[in-house]
């Protein structure tokens, strides 16, 4: 049995992550791949309940509590779904993963990327994606797309411009520091082109021999 692949999709709110994730899953399934599409926070019942909690605009949640809640949701999803699926040889597409916390809580909330990474390495047992697709869009562009959605903005989406500017900067830094893993895609392009670029960004993983599913972050990284 071929080893599984973990492919994550990242970016600011409004970048088109869910749209790309769905289109990419359909394309890969059409090629005969076994693909499981999951979202964060969520994907399993416990994590979905945490998602509802952190999104509630009526609640006041401190930055550290927020980071820990996201890590808790992620720990449950990895244990309950992601690790078993990778062991079975599936391609797991994740709409957000650890990089979201590094950018949103580490950068946006000012907790520090290294500090938030340590919490999430513990939560995920150091699981690292085979490839991360970072959808690049300006904070104003993302906010404009969010503003057209039918649902009310959640607790995080209501933050100010400075918050999202800090997140965008954190994502850019991550992409520079981990260029082998993170591939940046221009999210302002038509959906069809973004999908084409995404497929090109993972082509080497699909054509080559897949790595073992027990990928973990090396000590000290």
């Amino acid at each position: 049995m071929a080893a599984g692949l973990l492919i994550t999709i990242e970016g600011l709110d409004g970048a088109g992550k869910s749209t790309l994730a769905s289109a990419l899953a359909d394309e890969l399934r059409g090629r005969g791949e076994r693909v499981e599409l999951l979202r964060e926070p969520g994907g399993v019942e416990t994590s979905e309940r945490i998602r509802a909690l952190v999104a509630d605009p009526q609640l006041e949640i401190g930055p550290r509590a927020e980071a820990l809640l996201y890590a808790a949701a992620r720990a449950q999803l990895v244990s309950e779904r992601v690790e078993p699926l990778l062991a079975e040889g599936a391609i797991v597409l994740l709409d957000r993963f650890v990089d979201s916390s590094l950018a949103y809580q580490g950068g946006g909330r000012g907790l520090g990327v290294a500090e938030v990474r340590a919490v999430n390495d513990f939560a995920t047992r150091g699981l690292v994606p085979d490839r991360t697709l970072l959808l690049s869009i300006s904070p104003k562009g993302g906010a404009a797309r969010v503003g057209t959605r039918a649902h009310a903005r959640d607790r995080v989406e209501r933050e100010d411009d400075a918050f999202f500017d800090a997140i965008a900067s954190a994502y850019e830094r991550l992409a520079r520091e981990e260029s082998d893993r993170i591939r940046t895609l221009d999210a302002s392009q038509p959906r069809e082109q973004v999908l084409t670029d995404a497929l090109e960004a993972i082509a080497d993983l699909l054509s080559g021999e897949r790595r073992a599913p027990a990928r973990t972050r090396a000590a000290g990284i």
Side-chain angles (χ1 to χ4, degrees):
M1 178 185 297
L5 288 173
L6 176 58
I7 299 170
T8 60
I9 301 175
E10 293 284 352
L12 290 166
D13 292 277
K17 296 178 298 300
S18 298
T19 298
L20 174 60
S22 179
L24 191 55
D26 288 344
E27 175 69 25
L28 294 177
R29 287 169 182 151
R31 299 182 180 189
E33 299 281 4
R34 179 190 172 188
V35 179
E36 296 290 337
L37 175 57
L38 301 168
R39 72 172 184 175
E40 274 216 349
V44 294
E45 182 61 28
T46 299
S47 302
E48 290 290 341
R49 293 191 186 190
I50 295 174
R51 181 189 184 94
L53 181 69
V54 295
D56 190 343
Q58 302 302 315
L59 295 178
E60 181 176 342
I61 301 175
R64 291 177 182 274
E66 181 181 87
L68 291 168
L69 285 167
Y70 280 121
R74 187 166 293 129
Q76 186 64 30
L77 177 62
V78 167
S79 176
E80 189 173 334
R81 292 284 284 153
V82 176
E83 288 180 334
L85 286 168
L86 291 175
E88 292 169 6
I91 296 176
V92 179
L93 289 181
L94 258 181
D95 184 347
R96 293 197 182 280
F97 194 49
V98 171
D99 292 305
S100 283
S101 284
L102 302 183
Y104 276 71
Q105 284 74 53
R109 300 297 189 201
L111 296 178
V113 168
E115 290 78 1
V116 174
R117 192 192 298 279
V119 171
N120 280 275
D121 279 350
F122 172 77
T124 66
R125 287 191 276 262
L127 183 65
V128 179
D130 292 284
R131 186 65 38 80
T132 296
L133 306 176
L134 173 59
L135 294 179
S136 177
I137 191 171
S138 70
K140 290 188 182 299
R145 289 183 179 181
V146 170
T148 64
R149 294 175 180 172
H151 66 76
R153 290 184 300 168
D154 66 26
R155 189 180 59 83
V156 175
E157 290 170 342
R158 297 185 182 196
E159 292 290 344
D160 60 20
D161 291 345
F163 176 71
F164 290 104
D165 287 343
I167 293 167
S169 295
Y171 270 132
E172 290 171 3
R173 177 184 171 188
L174 289 169
R176 290 194 303 270
E177 293 177 347
E178 299 189 55
S179 57
D180 286 345
R181 173 175 68 87
I182 302 175
R183 305 295 168 84
T184 302
L185 311 179
D186 182 357
S188 68
Q189 300 178 105
R191 295 178 179 180
E192 295 78 10
Q193 186 59 51
V194 175
L195 174 60
T196 297
D197 290 350
L199 289 167
E200 181 178 343
I202 63 173
D204 60 318
L205 298 178
L206 300 176
S207 61
E209 183 178 351
R210 295 182 187 169
R211 287 179 278 177
R215 296 167 302 279
T216 57
R217 184 173 300 280
I221 294 179

